[in-house]
Amino acid sequence: MNVAELIHSALAEGKTRFAFELLPPLKGDGMGGVFAAIDPLMEFDPAYINVTFHREGIKQTQRPDGSAEWHVVRRRPGTVGISAAIKARYGVETVPHLICGGLSRYDIEDALIDMDFLGLHNVLALRGDKSQNERRFMPHPQGHAHAADLVRQIAAMNRGEFVDGEVEICHHSKFSIGVAGYPEGHEESASPEADIAALKAKVDAGAEYVVTQLFYDNARFFDFVRRCREAGIGVPIIPGIKPLATLRHLTLLPETFGCSIPEPLRREVLAHRDDKAAVRRIGTEWAIAQSRELKAAGVPVLHYYPMGKAENIIEIARTVF
Ligand code: FAD
């Protein structure tokens, strides 16, 4: 079963499945760290495992005099390879992410052909963030400006239409395509309506389900689902959950992911600002409460973002699943 089928099967059975996403190893590292993160999570029978895609190689910071300083950042290549290794080792459907940023349509096609040959038939199609040295997202000259265009390319390939044209007699890939959604809006969107219209364009282009950006207020998710349905987006919408784990997350998470932190959560964290273990416990308990409410509302999958730290996800999964 591909991921879209797994989601529909969970819906038909009235179940909520566990799923999570992780990052490929840093360049030069082996696969041991990724497997060590996955091993304890297998107990919860994940419906699928996502693997993120990263393109950054340089980062800009400012010197005290205001001039720019460039740093080489250790990259995380290998999304397709590690996805195949995870699928082979655990037998779980694996979903490599694929982005538009920095890639031509030919690069994308080659990656998709590799994925198909490796038995990876799921993909999360994304635009990718702007590069650190860009003021706004700049597509590759032979690439795509929006995730909807990437979805169109993948859907076309499923029909046997390649970048250079149609191949009449060919092996047809059968990628199941997911896309990203933003309960609190995407930072570049002109309006909430434009954001939903952009999501609808991705679904109309062939996306079969949506995974959301992380959020801490379930009311925002429920409102997002309502607005999607009103706009004619009928595909399953999978909530993304990341437990807050440090005091710094109070500012870092909103800055990085554009999510808001509900006032009661902020107050409780600040009240325990000098106690790291207490802050972690508060974040975990909040994520448990969020997960329970979403499960009770009938979401087919809860998609967790461990970001390299599985301990709190294990605790949440033990309580919720
Ligand atoms: P799009 O759907 O293209 O939307 C981007 C912006 O453009 C939005 O503001 C949208 O409203 C607007 N827009 C879309 N179409 C049009 C149009 N036709 N005209 C005008 N405006 C338009 N990033 C990574 O680099 N690697 C990852 O692995 C990764 N994984 C992610 C997983 C999830 C679940 C989520 C939610 C995000 C992930 N991201 C990842 C981050 C993502 O790449 C960024 O949020 C990026 O800025 C937007 O990607 P998108 O696919 O939503 O883009």
Side-chain angles (χ1 to χ4, degrees):
M1 264 197 255
N2 65 32
V3 166
E5 289 163 347
L6 281 163
I7 293 170
H8 283 287
S9 143
L11 278 170
E13 291 171 30
K15 274 190 189 163
T16 300
R17 300 281 309 269
F18 169 73
F20 62 94
E21 98 176 29
L22 40 79
L23 282 61
L26 283 164
K27 184 154 78 174
D29 283 353
M31 296 187 290
V34 168
F35 293 156
I38 296 175
D39 284 342
L41 295 171
M42 290 310 293
E43 177 189 341
F44 310 106
D45 186 25
Y48 58 81
I49 299 172
N50 277 42
V51 182
T52 54
F53 193 106
H54 302 262
R55 76 161 168 153
E56 281 304 330
I58 50 169
K59 190 176 179 177
Q60 188 189 45
T61 53
Q62 259 189 351
R63 294 195 189 95
D65 67 3
S67 62
E69 187 169 9
W70 297 93
H71 306 267
V72 175
V73 176
R74 223 168 131 199
R75 292 186 60 236
R76 292 181 182 273
T79 297
V80 173
I82 191 109
S83 298
I86 292 169
K87 186 167 180 187
R89 185 177 167 108
Y90 298 98
V92 174
E93 282 304 319
T94 308
V95 188
H97 294 189
L98 193 54
I99 62 171
C100 308
L103 301 178
S104 72
R105 284 172 291 148
Y106 290 96
D107 298 329
I108 289 166
E109 187 170 274
D110 290 353
L112 289 165
I113 290 171
D114 279 342
M115 284 158 57
D116 188 43
F117 287 167
L118 288 164
L120 300 166
H121 305 302
N122 301 285
V123 58
L124 196 76
L126 302 141
R127 188 199 69 181
D129 281 318
K130 65 179 167 45
S131 180
Q132 295 276 354
N133 57 334
E134 291 171 352
R135 286 182 49 214
R136 61 188 176 87
F137 177 81
M138 294 300 292
H140 186 285
Q142 292 175 300
H144 301 303
H146 303 293
D149 302 322
L150 174 58
V151 175
R152 255 173 235 119
Q153 180 177 355
I154 304 167
M157 198 171 138
N158 281 346
R159 295 192 300 270
E161 295 161 26
F162 292 81
V163 175
D164 286 326
E166 198 166 337
V167 179
E168 269 186 32
I169 300 170
C170 75
H171 155 81
H172 284 263
S173 58
K174 294 190 181 68
F175 286 106
S176 167
I177 310 167
V179 289
Y182 302 85
E184 302 186 52
H186 184 264
E187 57 171 359
E188 294 165 39
S189 275
S191 66
E193 293 72 27
D195 209 34
I196 298 279
L199 180 56
K200 184 157 188 311
K202 295 192 271 194
V203 173
D204 291 347
E208 294 167 280
Y209 63 98
V210 176
V211 182
T212 77
Q213 185 59 280
L214 50 90
F215 59 90
Y216 293 88
D217 181 353
N218 284 355
R220 302 249 186 184
F221 174 78
F222 294 130
D223 181 59
F224 174 66
V225 174
R226 181 188 58 75
R227 288 184 289 120
C228 286
R229 300 303 181 229
E230 280 174 10
I233 299 170
V235 298
I237 301 177
I238 308 300
I241 307 281
K242 171 173 174 50
L244 179 146
T246 63
L247 178 66
R248 180 150 159 60
H249 275 168
L250 281 185
T251 46
L252 188 68
L253 295 169
E255 270 168 31
T256 314
F257 302 107
C259 60
S260 56
I261 307 288
E263 219 22 63
L265 175 58
R266 178 187 303 280
R267 265 202 309 273
E268 214 180 331
V269 168
L270 288 176
H272 296 82
R273 61 187 321 147
D274 298 325
D275 183 345
K276 282 187 184 163
V279 167
R280 202 172 169 76
R281 196 193 65 242
I282 292 162
T284 302
E285 282 170 4
W286 187 274
I288 288 173
Q290 260 194 294
S291 303
R292 281 186 166 145
E293 189 183 22
L294 291 162
K295 194 175 172 206
V299 299
V301 179
L302 286 164
H303 180 113
Y304 291 93
Y305 296 104
M307 293 177 181
K309 299 191 179 61
E311 297 79 18
N312 45 6
I313 305 293
I314 295 169
E315 202 180 327
I316 295 162
R318 278 224 175 96
T319 318
V320 176
F321 293 93

